[in-house]
Amino acid sequence: MKAIEVKNLTKVYGNIIAVDNVTFFVEEGEIFSLLGPNGAGKTTTVEIIEGIRNADKGEVKIFGKNLNDEIKEKMGILPQEFQSMERLNVKETLEYFASFYRKSIDIDELIEMVGLKEKEKELYKNLSGGQKRLLGVAMALVNDPSLIFLDEPTTGLDPKARRNIWNVIMEMKEKGKTIFLTTHYMEEAEYLADKVAIMHRGKIVAMDEPYRLIEKYGSGARIIVETVDGKKEFKARDEKEVVRIIGELQEKYEKIEIKRANLEDVFLKLTGEGLG
């Protein structure tokens, strides 16, 4: 079964086509990442899928059904602009939100999972920005959802906390959860996602596994060679050509640096702009 099926989705604001006849699907149990620059239509698309906005045309199916209360019980959402009640502590916040659902995960286990055990008695208003984000992730998981929407889950986190969230996401995947991820961090999408869709001007312009996108749209590798006379740069299409170029170097070199194409290169090539 597909976790999400989007067919011919269209949303228009005045004379602006925010989402332009978009079709894609998300497999059950995968991590799917939607990338796009500001104004690409990704936020509108996600909010339609979540049931926050209505589409002008097209349809969305969640686990083969139209969005209803039963389906909403299976969804967990972390919005980009996340806020909570300032005078509740971490544990009280999660217990409060868990009370809205018929099913919930063990709160102590959840607090441990997201790395907030030492802060479980801390009021929300006293948490750092990164800790508030961690609590937001925990709130998206509190009902033990089958489908999890994470909008910029690691914004404001230091590298250690970001890796912790990556581990949580991978743990959710191992449990069979489906994760829909939007992120401004290309390395995050490249590391986590099973499939990436790149959206530009309301359309999906490319969608595949990250390494396949890099193979198809990337510019290969750059080989930077430092010699006593300065730097030289070579371009290689693939690994075999990298080996060949290095093997054919006649000059004595002091350092070789190989810069391989990545998802950011693909994004810039397809959209002509940075992720924002």
Side-chain angles (χ1 to χ4, degrees):
M1 181 186 295
K2 302 289 190 298
I4 301 172
E5 293 177 89
V6 175
K7 294 182 180 178
N8 307 120
L9 200 65
T10 301
K11 183 67 177 180
V12 180
Y13 298 103
N15 60 355
I16 298 173
I17 304 174
V19 182
D20 190 359
N21 199 40
V22 165
T23 296
F24 67 90
F25 62 86
V26 178
E27 296 281 3
E28 191 170 0
E30 77 176 358
I31 300 174
F32 179 94
S33 186
L34 181 63
L35 304 176
N38 285 336
K42 62 184 185 298
T43 298
T44 301
T45 300
V46 174
E47 290 182 348
I48 291 171
I49 296 170
E50 294 170 343
I52 297 172
R53 296 180 186 269
N54 294 320
D56 294 323
K57 294 180 183 178
E59 65 175 3
V60 175
K61 298 283 187 182
I62 307 293
F63 298 116
K65 298 180 180 180
N66 293 323
L67 193 62
N68 55 33
D69 289 342
E70 178 189 352
I71 294 298
K72 288 179 180 178
E73 283 273 343
K74 297 181 178 181
M75 294 167 54
I77 299 173
L78 170 67
Q80 187 172 353
E81 301 298 328
F82 161 72
Q83 291 292 330
S84 187
M85 290 161 286
E86 291 196 347
R87 296 192 176 276
L88 290 184
N89 66 34
V90 168
K91 190 169 185 177
E92 289 169 342
T93 299
L94 293 173
E95 288 173 340
Y96 176 70
F97 278 91
S99 69
F100 297 154
Y101 298 96
R102 288 173 290 182
K103 177 186 177 184
S104 64
I105 195 170
D106 181 86
I107 300 302
D108 291 324
E109 177 185 328
L110 182 56
I111 291 172
E112 186 78 40
M113 185 189 304
V114 298
L116 286 175
K117 185 64 179 174
E118 294 181 0
K119 297 291 182 179
E120 68 176 356
K121 299 299 183 183
E122 193 74 60
L123 297 183
Y124 175 82
K125 68 176 185 176
N126 295 330
L127 297 175
S128 68
Q131 289 163 351
K132 288 177 178 178
R133 204 69 189 157
L134 289 167
L135 179 57
V137 171
M139 288 168 63
L141 304 177
V142 75
N143 59 320
D144 196 22
S146 300
L147 174 59
I148 305 161
F149 292 89
L150 299 177
D151 192 354
E152 305 295 340
T154 63
T155 296
L157 300 185
D158 60 39
K160 182 179 178 181
R162 181 175 296 163
R163 281 285 176 174
N164 185 32
I165 291 299
W166 289 8
N167 291 336
V168 171
I169 292 172
M170 294 303 292
E171 186 175 336
M172 291 297 102
K173 173 183 164 60
E174 289 171 5
K175 292 181 177 180
K177 313 294 187 183
T178 305
I179 296 102
F180 194 112
L181 174 70
T182 54
T183 178
H184 278 73
Y185 301 113
M186 284 293 180
E187 74 276 12
E188 186 163 275
E190 191 170 334
Y191 178 80
L192 291 172
D194 298 299
K195 188 163 60 184
V196 169
I198 297 176
M199 197 168 189
H200 185 49
R201 296 178 180 174
K203 294 180 178 289
I204 301 291
V205 295
M207 183 170 67
D208 211 328
E209 296 170 74
Y211 83 94
R212 290 189 184 278
L213 290 174
I214 293 167
E215 282 183 350
K216 184 174 182 180
Y217 297 104
S219 55
R222 290 187 298 132
I223 306 166
I224 302 166
V225 181
E226 290 188 19
T227 69
V228 291
D229 298 318
K231 288 185 179 181
K232 292 185 178 181
E233 185 171 315
F234 304 87
K235 288 187 177 181
R237 291 187 301 271
D238 52 35
E239 296 293 329
K240 288 183 178 179
E241 195 165 9
V242 169
V243 173
R244 181 185 62 77
I245 290 171
I246 293 174
E248 292 178 356
L249 288 174
Q250 300 296 317
E251 299 174 82
K252 184 178 180 181
Y253 53 83
E254 298 177 350
K255 179 182 176 183
I256 293 180
E257 183 179 2
I258 301 173
K259 293 187 175 181
R260 292 176 172 83
N262 56 31
L263 199 55
E264 186 170 2
D265 297 325
V266 174
F267 187 90
L268 288 169
K269 182 173 182 178
L270 292 173
T271 68
E273 52 189 305
L275 187 62

